[in-house]
């Protein structure tokens, strides 16, 4: 038997998109060519002699204005997974404002008091997933202003991500066909920066930057029902950054002192609630029930009422409702002082000191769960749980935070061919959060039965009324009020000394040493006051405690802080070489080697080597060949960890652009990311050959099986693109790129597949532009997107997708 | 800006090893024009590794757009702050969803979350290890630990 998974919310998202497609496909298939060709048909027929653009307009003879707009649209033909198309490409059929640009330049700055130059460029409006506008303007020495706006729709439904991979022998079998963490959000960001008197001795600047994200997604949590209900998460947050600062230039402007003030205001209003589509089961009385993402019972132990397809036995775990509102407000004022100086002969310096002190405030916290869980610590399961903060604003907590950074760098030319440099860097942060979560619980015996919360009216002594809460002598506390204080801080210091020497004119060698230390401290002190209400108020931790006057019992244990303290010391050796053996060839080599006496995590390297070689051969000004070798080897190769990792990149490129008629660009790269780490895990169905974990504590911690954490991602990338303009009025651009990977990673679950680790992603394209009249250009484009996986699909929907996106447009310059 | 070439072509002309990452299935939208290399890097130099910029309050540049993962949180996932975003994510592009460094998220988690407090594999002790059955339906760690970057409610990041 099958139930429809996650129907409502998926339908909501895809229905809106399907509706959009239905409208656009029908209309746009007519509109797009009509728009592009219609405009073109109405253009004057011209000869090549008429090909020169019209003279730019000069409003008031003070400005030269150039403007262009490109109108057209896409026609998309796709086959395969719509979810992956939207995840990777998300281009759909419809008319678009493909681009717009405007430049206005003054011809006589005395007659243009407001600005000398203004340029703006835009693209992607009308339905493309990415749209942006950039504005630049300035007025001589008076000011310059930069502004931009960006919008991108983020659709994500890679169905293996966060998928529970429900086995097909589950009863009922409810496969998860979409990612439980699917999202469809829109991010909009933009800002403006104004600098007054930018090249004067004293200049000032002010700015504003805002990022906002809003939209739906799926989420999940463990709730209290052990069924991992699927949640609808509505993202809504914004981040406003206000900035202001001054620059003071001294000593012929060779020394600059700068002061900046930033104020960051972050508002978090994301909410969560149970996905209505999850309520696909019901109790016998018709009450909708969510069985969550992890329905897995066997035919012999099913939660279904015999003879039904969606009626749940009330003694099974389930969720009836859930919601969470946890608004947060963070204000982070930051001050920064910087300087750069080249006033002292043969000495250059720069430095910075930054101090940021702010806090997070959490008010109006509201979270609620209704359902049933036969939690092992209770003989009565939990039915209703209410979470809140304290006080009239339901204050959950606050978190003061301080960031302090200081950097100083100096380079001294001690001889014509010898220089030394030193860089000191200090960074520190500390968070000191306090929360006071309040929890009230009502207990019951099944999904169908909820007892009352205690009150003397409903449950007077001797606490035997049928309206009393349902307690046994082992029932957990009815009310908990916690007070938790967590302190978390890191202080990092590093100093890098480098001596550089040029034995000959075209060769520079450098040798250096870096010392870096980190101190990480984390403490947690937590106290939870428990209140046990009648009946059986003397239970649990209150078994020997005196009762309160209303018959309840309160217990507050002594708390002991948990303290972690980590000290890590790193020693680095640095070597560099820059050479130009012949005029056309340049080489740069950097080698780093690091040893650390400790590792903060098992994957943090205790030894590291990095080799980077970059070379460029430029036999002609229009011909460029380049190659890169970038190798990183890192290890935490101690007993029980054996973490070995490498990233090895080899890349070649050629760029040939002899004239305006044609050009060619080619790239090839082989990358290999690989790692191995001992890991232990729990499994009731280990794969053949799985070893026994010998790591101390693993068996006691129910992790008896040994894994190797193997991950190997070899990837080949190739791209070629060519531009060809046979005559001045016609330009063509074609290209192809492919990323091919045949990676593997350790399989811990036999239903796991490699997915995108074994995939090919191909992106060929062709563009043509034809100048049909002075200032008018007809353009056509074709993009192909092909994504295919080499591994098995797994217990979900296929992810392969390929499609063609045709773009027709007309560009007009005026 | 009087550049010889527009971004990203100018950057790719030397950084050929970086270019492929932006053509992987999951990548930051640099080739698409939404982002530029200079959104995250300052080619003239910074005090940060890889010449990355910093956010206003000196956090990682990533949080300029991804503030929701930066907190501050009452309960921080410590590695986010100490080791940085690139400990788990490949910032330019990846074959793996969410730019993760592994295709199997559980493997990524288990590499740190193995063993018990007090053993020698980590400098300080925690993290402790999960006990969840990798063969059962709870195969994805973030099904439960959905607030993995940090939480204001519980230190296990489940809400």
């Amino acid at each position: 038997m099958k139930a429809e998974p996650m129907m409502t919310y998926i339908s909501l998202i895809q229905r809106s998109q399907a509706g959009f497609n239905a409208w656009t496909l029908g209309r746009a298939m007519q509109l797009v060519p009509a728009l592009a060709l219609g405009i073109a048909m109405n253009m004057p027929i011209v000869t090549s002699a008429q090909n020169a653009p019209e003279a730019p307009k000069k409003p008031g003879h003070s400005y030269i204005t150039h403007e262009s707009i490109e109108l057209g649209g896409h026609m998309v033909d796709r086959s395969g997974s719509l979810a992956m198309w939207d995840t990777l490409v998300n281009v759909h059929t419809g008319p678009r404002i493909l681009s717009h640009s405007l430049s206005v330049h003054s011809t006589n700055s005395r007659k243009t008091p407001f600005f000398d130059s203004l340029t703006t460029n835009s693209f992607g409006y009308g339905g493309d997933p990415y749209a942006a506008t950039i504005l630049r303007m300035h007025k001589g020495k008076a000011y310059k202003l930069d502004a931009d706006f960006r919008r991108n729709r983020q659709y994500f439904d890679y169905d293996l991500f966060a998928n529970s991979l429900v086995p097909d022998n589950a009863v009922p079998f409810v496969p998860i066909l979409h990612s439980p963490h699917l999202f469809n959000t829109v991010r909009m960001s933009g800002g403006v920066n104004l600098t007054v008197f930018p090249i004067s001795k004293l200049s000032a600047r002010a700015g504003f930057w805002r990022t906002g994200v809003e939209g739906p997604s799926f989420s999940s949590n463990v709730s209290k029902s052990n069924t991992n209900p699927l949640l609808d998460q509505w993202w809504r947050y914004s981040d406003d950054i206000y900035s202001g600062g001054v620059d003071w230039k001294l000593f012929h402007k060779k020394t600059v002192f700068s002061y900046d003030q930033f104020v960051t205001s972050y508002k978090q209003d994301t909410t969560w609630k149970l996905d209505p589509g999850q309520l696909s089961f019901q109790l016998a009385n018709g009450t909708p029930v969510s069985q969550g993402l992890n329905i897995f019972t066997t035919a012999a132990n099913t939660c279904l009422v015999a003879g039904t397809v969606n009626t749940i036995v009330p003694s099974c775990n389930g969720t009836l409702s859930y919601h969470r509102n946890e608004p947060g407000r963070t204000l982070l004022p930051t001050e920064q002082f910087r300087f750069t100086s080249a006033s002292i002969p043969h000495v250059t310096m720069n430095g910075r000191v930054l101090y940021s002190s702010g806090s997070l405030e959490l008010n109006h916290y509201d979270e609620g769960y209704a359902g049933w869980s036969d939690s092992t610590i209770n003989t009565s399961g939990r039915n209703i749980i209410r979470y809140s903060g304290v006080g009239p604003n339901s204050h959950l907590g606050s978190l003061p935070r301080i960031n302090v950074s200081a950097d100083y760098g100096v380079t001294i030319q001690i001889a014509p061919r010898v220089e030394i440099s030193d860089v000191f860097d200090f960074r520190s942060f500390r968070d000191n959060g306090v929360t006071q979560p309040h929890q009230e619980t009502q207990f019951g015996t099944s999904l169908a039965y909820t007892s009352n919360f205690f009150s003397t009216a409903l449950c007077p002594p001797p606490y035997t009324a049928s309206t009393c809460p349902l307690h046994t002598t082992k029932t957990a506390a009815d009310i908990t009020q916690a007070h938790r204080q967590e302190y978390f801080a890191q202080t990092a210091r590093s100093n890098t000394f480098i001596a550089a020497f040029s034995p000959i004119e075209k060769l520079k060698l450098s040798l250096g040493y870096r010392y870096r230390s980190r101190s990480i401290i984390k403490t947690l002190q937590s106290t939870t006051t428990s209140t046990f209400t009648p009946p059986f108020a003397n239970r649990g931790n209150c078994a020997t405690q005196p009762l309160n006057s209303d018959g309840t019992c309160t217990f507050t244990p002594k708390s002991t802080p948990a303290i972690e303290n980590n000290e890590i010391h790193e020693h680095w050796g640095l070597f560099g070489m820059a050479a130009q053996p012949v005029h056309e060839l340049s080489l740069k080599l950097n080698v780093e080697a690091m040893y650390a006496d400790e590792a903060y995590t098992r994957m943090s390297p205790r030894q590291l080597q990095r080799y980077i070689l970059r070379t460029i051969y430029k036999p002609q000004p229009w011909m460029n060949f380049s190659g890169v070798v970038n190798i990183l080897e890192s290890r935490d190769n101690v007993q029980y960890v054996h973490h070995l990792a490498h990233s090895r990149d080899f890349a070649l490129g050629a760029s040939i652009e002899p004239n305006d008629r044609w050009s060619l660009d080619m790239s090839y790269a082989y990358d290999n990311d690989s790692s191995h780490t001992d890991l232990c895990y729990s499994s009731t169905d280990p794969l053949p050959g799985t070893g026994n974990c010998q790591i101390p504590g693993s068996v006691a911690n129910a992790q008896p099986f040994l894994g190797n954490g193997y991950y190997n991602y070899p990837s080949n990338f190739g791209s070629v693109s060519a531009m060809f303009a046979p005559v001045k009025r016609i330009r063509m651009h074609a290209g192809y790129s492919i990323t091919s990977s045949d990676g593997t990673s350790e399989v811990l679950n036999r239903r796991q597949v490699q997915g995108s680790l074994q995939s090919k992603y191909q992106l060929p394209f062709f563009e043509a532009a034809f100048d049909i009249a002075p200032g008018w250009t007809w353009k056509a484009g074709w993009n192909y997107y092909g994504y295919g996986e080499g591994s098995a699909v797994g217990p979900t929907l296929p992810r392969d997708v390929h499609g063609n996106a045709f773009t027709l447009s007309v560009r007009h310059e005026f | 800006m009087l550049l010889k070439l527009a971004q990203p072509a100018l950057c790719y002309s030397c950084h050929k090893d970086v270019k492929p990452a932006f053509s992987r299935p999951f990548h930051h939208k640099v080739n698409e024009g939404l982002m530029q290399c200079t959104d995250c890097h300052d080619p003239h130099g910074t005090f940060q590794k890889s010449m990355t910029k910093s956010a206003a309050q000196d956090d990682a540049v990533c949080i300029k757009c991804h503030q929701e993962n930066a907190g501050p949180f009452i309960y921080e996932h410590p590695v986010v702050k100490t080791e940085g975003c690139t400990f788990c994510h490949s910032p330019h592009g990846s074959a793996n969803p969410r730019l993760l460094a592994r295709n199997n998220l559980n493997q990524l988690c288990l590499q740190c979350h193995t063993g018990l407090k007090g053993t020698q594999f980590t400098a300080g002790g925690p993290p402790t290890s999960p006990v969840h059955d990798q063969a059962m339906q709870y195969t994805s760690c973030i099904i439960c630990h959905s607030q993995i970057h940090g939480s204001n409610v519980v230190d296990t990041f489940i809400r």
Side-chain angles (χ1 to χ4, degrees):
Chain A
M1 64 194 76
K2 286 189 176 183
E4 198 64 29
M6 302 189 296
M7 193 58 202
T8 302
Y9 212 46
I10 288 284
S11 299
L12 175 70
I13 294 170
Q14 293 197 335
R15 189 165 53 238
S16 68
Q17 200 156 58
F20 173 76
N21 288 339
W23 184 89
T24 56
L25 196 61
R27 291 286 301 278
M29 290 294 282
Q30 303 166 3
L31 278 176
V32 172
L35 185 64
L37 293 173
I39 294 172
M41 291 292 286
N42 286 292
M43 294 306 98
I45 303 300
V46 296
T47 64
S48 57
Q50 293 173 297
N51 203 28
E54 292 177 355
K57 294 177 180 176
K58 297 180 180 178
H61 303 289
S62 300
Y63 287 109
I64 296 175
T65 303
H66 288 281
E67 188 169 4
S68 73
I69 186 166
E70 185 177 345
L71 301 174
H74 304 302
M75 291 174 288
V76 174
D77 167 33
R78 172 197 55 79
S79 62
S81 168
L82 172 62
M84 284 302 286
W85 177 265
D86 286 346
T87 300
L88 301 178
V89 184
N90 209 9
V91 173
H92 290 276
T93 301
R96 301 285 187 274
I97 303 170
L98 292 165
S99 71
H100 172 263
S101 69
L102 170 69
S103 66
V104 182
H105 297 288
S106 171
T107 55
N108 184 346
S109 61
R110 294 180 180 178
K111 294 183 178 179
T112 54
F114 299 111
F115 64 88
D116 290 344
S117 173
L118 181 151
T119 60
T120 177
N121 293 282
S122 304
F123 69 88
Y125 290 95
D128 277 348
Y130 320 114
T133 295
I134 295 172
L135 171 71
R136 304 273 184 267
M137 59 189 295
H138 68 82
K139 171 61 187 171
K141 299 177 181 177
Y143 76 88
K144 69 171 186 176
L145 184 143
D146 299 332
D148 64 10
F149 169 79
R150 307 180 209 194
R151 177 189 185 277
N152 69 307
R153 176 169 288 280
Q154 310 166 106
Y155 190 89
F156 176 87
D157 185 15
Y158 178 77
D159 58 21
L160 289 174
F161 188 75
N163 196 314
S164 295
L165 306 177
V166 176
D168 57 11
N169 61 338
V171 181
F173 176 51
V174 185
I176 298 175
L177 302 179
H178 298 270
S179 171
H181 287 189
L182 179 158
F183 60 76
N184 187 10
T185 57
V186 173
R187 169 179 283 116
M188 288 191 280
S189 59
V192 59
N193 283 296
L194 172 68
T195 304
V196 182
F197 308 127
I199 57 174
S200 300
K201 281 190 175 180
L202 186 65
S203 61
R205 58 185 173 276
F208 171 71
W209 176 269
R210 178 185 177 87
T211 301
V213 171
E214 188 161 359
S217 81
F218 286 138
S219 184
S220 56
N221 73 7
V222 69
S223 185
K224 288 293 181 184
S225 60
N226 296 324
T227 53
N228 295 95
L230 184 75
L231 307 179
D232 290 352
Q233 179 175 354
W234 185 267
W235 292 84
R236 182 182 167 89
Y237 69 82
S238 64
D239 189 32
D240 297 333
I241 303 172
Y242 304 86
S243 63
V246 292
D247 290 334
W248 187 23
K249 307 176 187 75
L250 299 171
F251 310 119
H252 304 289
K253 298 183 181 177
K254 287 186 174 180
T255 296
V256 181
F257 293 99
S258 302
Y259 172 80
D260 294 281
Q261 175 82 48
F262 307 96
V263 177
T264 301
S265 172
Y266 174 58
K267 296 178 182 177
Q268 169 67 273
D269 290 305
T270 299
T271 59
W272 293 259
K273 66 178 181 179
L274 184 68
D275 177 58
Q278 276 278 288
L279 296 166
S280 53
F281 296 91
Q282 63 178 18
L283 298 176
N285 63 7
T287 303
V289 179
S290 165
Q291 287 286 278
L293 296 164
N294 298 317
I295 302 168
F296 183 57
T297 56
T298 63
N301 185 28
T302 180
C303 279
L304 288 179
V305 173
T308 69
V309 294
N310 68 343
T311 303
I312 292 296
V313 176
S315 59
C316 280
N317 293 337
T319 305
L320 301 173
S321 71
Y322 177 82
H323 73 275
R324 179 153 63 100
N325 301 313
E326 180 201 309
R329 297 290 181 268
T330 305
L331 191 67
L332 293 167
T334 303
E335 293 174 278
Q336 179 179 258
F337 170 77
R338 292 176 295 152
F339 83 97
T340 62
S341 177
S343 298
I344 303 172
H346 310 300
V347 177
T348 58
M349 294 183 289
N350 60 4
R352 184 181 71 134
V353 177
L354 179 143
Y355 180 82
S356 176
S357 172
S359 76
L360 160 71
E361 294 294 332
L362 294 159
N363 290 310
H364 311 294
Y365 171 50
D366 174 28
E367 182 174 1
Y369 157 82
W372 195 72
S373 166
D374 58 344
S375 177
T376 54
I377 62 171
N378 307 302
T379 54
S380 295
R382 299 168 190 234
N383 274 104
I384 296 175
I385 306 174
R386 288 181 291 272
Y387 304 91
S388 62
V390 296
N393 287 329
S394 189
H395 179 70
L396 175 62
S398 59
L399 174 65
R401 182 186 190 199
I402 294 175
N403 275 9
V404 180
S405 300
D407 309 290
Y408 174 71
V410 58
T411 300
I412 305 172
Q413 190 90 33
I414 57 176
R417 296 193 175 202
V418 181
E419 69 179 25
I420 58 172
S421 67
D422 192 85
V423 177
F424 173 75
D425 183 65
F426 172 87
R427 282 168 203 282
S428 128
F429 71 83
R430 54 184 188 270
D431 295 350
N432 195 2
V434 176
T435 52
Q436 302 176 81
H438 180 88
Q439 177 178 330
E440 295 180 1
T441 307
Q442 288 174 245
F443 299 91
T445 54
S446 73
L447 273 168
Y449 177 78
T450 303
S451 66
N452 292 314
F453 196 76
F454 173 75
S455 72
T456 52
L458 288 172
C459 189
Y463 313 119
T464 54
S466 61
T467 51
C468 282
L470 187 67
H471 289 159
T472 71
T473 56
K474 295 181 179 177
T475 302
D478 300 85
I479 303 171
T480 60
Q481 177 64 60
H483 183 277
R484 297 172 185 157
Q485 182 162 10
E486 180 163 299
Y487 177 79
F488 178 45
Q490 174 179 267
T491 300
R493 299 176 182 85
S494 75
N495 193 83
T496 304
F497 175 82
I498 294 175
F501 171 57
S502 295
I504 55 177
E505 187 177 349
K506 298 292 179 73
L507 177 64
K508 186 173 185 178
L509 302 171
S510 62
L511 201 60
Y513 168 75
R514 176 184 298 145
Y515 170 76
R516 181 170 181 250
S517 70
R518 283 198 295 164
S519 172
I520 303 167
I521 299 173
K522 191 167 180 283
T523 66
L524 174 64
Q525 184 148 18
S526 175
T527 303
T528 300
T529 298
S530 302
T531 300
F532 298 81
T533 67
F536 308 112
N538 281 121
R539 64 184 193 271
N541 288 330
C542 252
T544 60
Q545 301 295 314
L547 294 177
N548 301 319
S549 59
D550 61 355
T552 64
C553 178
T554 304
F555 175 76
T556 303
K558 291 182 179 178
S559 68
T560 304
I563 301 173
E564 301 165 32
N565 195 350
N566 305 278
E567 295 284 343
I568 303 164
H569 306 273
E570 299 173 5
H571 304 271
W572 297 67
L574 312 169
F575 171 76
M577 183 194 74
Q580 195 170 13
V582 293
H583 179 70
E584 297 82 6
L585 177 65
S586 64
L587 299 163
K588 287 183 181 175
L589 172 68
N590 283 289
V591 179
E592 297 178 345
M594 183 276 284
Y595 162 78
D597 63 350
E598 194 53 273
Y600 183 57
T601 76
R602 303 172 89 243
M603 292 167 68
S604 305
R606 291 173 194 255
Q607 293 95 31
L608 175 152
Q609 290 92 38
R610 180 181 280 277
Y611 313 89
I612 302 176
L613 172 65
R614 297 187 192 280
T615 175
I616 296 177
Y617 178 58
K618 206 167 183 178
Q620 299 291 336
W622 46 269
M623 187 180 290
N624 184 329
F625 299 94
S626 59
V628 178
V629 176
N630 189 338
I631 297 173
L632 173 66
E633 307 277 344
S634 60
R635 293 176 294 283
D636 185 13
N637 194 16
V638 296
Q639 187 181 26
Y640 305 129
V641 180
H642 300 124
H643 175 67
L644 306 170
H646 68 244
S647 171
R648 298 168 182 164
D649 302 337
F650 305 89
L652 296 169
S655 178
I656 302 168
E657 191 175 353
N659 52 49
D660 293 341
R661 289 288 180 84
W662 69 278
S663 66
L664 182 66
D665 187 272
M666 295 179 290
S667 295
Y668 169 76
Y670 171 77
D671 302 326
N672 179 222
D673 295 334
S674 183
S675 75
H676 166 288
T677 314
D678 287 353
L679 54 84
C680 297
Y681 63 98
S682 166
S683 177
T684 53
D685 185 19
L687 271 68
T690 302
N692 296 320
C693 189
Q694 303 298 317
I695 296 175
S698 59
V699 175
N701 204 34
Q703 289 186 309
F705 299 108
L706 177 67
N708 57 26
Y710 181 70
Y711 174 81
N712 187 38
Y713 173 54
S715 147
N716 285 280
F717 166 79
S719 77
V720 58
S721 68
M723 188 278 290
F724 181 49
V727 295
K728 194 174 180 181
R729 294 173 55 193
I730 298 176
R731 297 171 298 282
M732 289 179 283
H733 190 196
Y736 173 78
S737 74
I738 180 171
T739 302
S740 175
S741 165
D742 188 22
T744 52
S745 66
E746 183 181 26
V747 173
L748 302 178
N749 180 312
R750 64 179 70 244
R751 297 184 299 280
Q752 177 189 333
V753 296
Q754 301 295 349
S756 56
L757 198 61
Q758 295 180 358
S759 66
K760 285 185 174 61
Y761 192 40
Q762 302 178 72
L763 304 166
F765 71 93
F766 174 77
E767 296 169 351
F770 175 48
D771 293 337
I772 50 179
W776 293 88
T777 303
W778 182 85
K779 299 174 77 173
W782 166 74
N783 289 79
Y784 176 85
Y785 303 87
Y787 172 81
E789 294 181 358
S791 71
V793 172
T796 180
L797 295 174
R799 288 169 296 282
D800 289 0
V801 65
H802 57 86
N804 300 283
F806 300 95
T807 304
L808 289 176
S809 64
V810 171
R811 183 171 185 268
H812 180 42
E813 293 180 42
F814 50 102
Chain B
M1 301 292 285
L2 303 179
L3 294 174
K4 293 173 70 175
L5 274 174
Q7 296 187 54
L10 180 63
C11 308
Y12 290 161
S13 63
C14 287
H15 297 272
K16 295 289 183 192
D17 52 327
V18 175
K19 181 179 177 181
F22 293 103
S23 292
R24 289 174 181 166
F26 304 93
H27 59 268
H28 271 117
K29 307 304 178 186
V30 170
N31 293 343
E32 289 79 355
L34 181 72
M35 297 179 67
Q36 294 189 322
C37 306
T38 50
D39 285 330
C40 301
H41 301 275
D42 185 342
H44 301 118
T46 71
F47 284 101
Q48 305 275 5
K49 185 180 166 188
S50 301
M51 291 195 273
T52 51
K53 296 179 176 177
S54 299
Q57 59 275 23
D58 209 33
D59 286 322
V61 68
C62 314
I63 71 159
K64 188 175 177 183
C65 293
H66 301 281
Q67 177 72 50
E68 78 279 15
N69 297 327
F73 297 107
I74 298 286
Y75 301 102
E76 303 273 11
H77 193 173
V79 293
V80 177
K81 291 290 187 296
T82 61
E83 313 303 292
C85 309
T86 56
F87 197 62
C88 297
H89 298 276
S90 301
H92 295 139
S94 172
N96 307 318
R98 314 309 302 270
L99 306 184
L100 285 166
R102 300 287 182 275
N103 66 324
N104 180 4
L105 188 66
N106 288 22
Q107 187 189 63
L108 187 66
C109 303
L110 285 165
Q111 285 180 329
C112 284
H113 292 267
T114 285
L116 286 173
K117 183 175 182 177
T119 52
Q120 66 269 45
F121 351 110
T122 59
T128 55
S129 36
V131 298
H132 307 306
D133 184 354
Q134 296 295 313
M136 296 291 282
Q137 66 272 40
Y138 304 107
T139 48
S140 182
C141 301
I142 60 167
I143 281 284
C144 296
H145 304 277
S146 57
Q147 308 302 308
I148 195 61
H149 296 103
S151 169
N152 294 319
V153 183
V154 287
D155 58 1
T156 50
F157 315 122
I158 58 174
R159 292 189 283 127

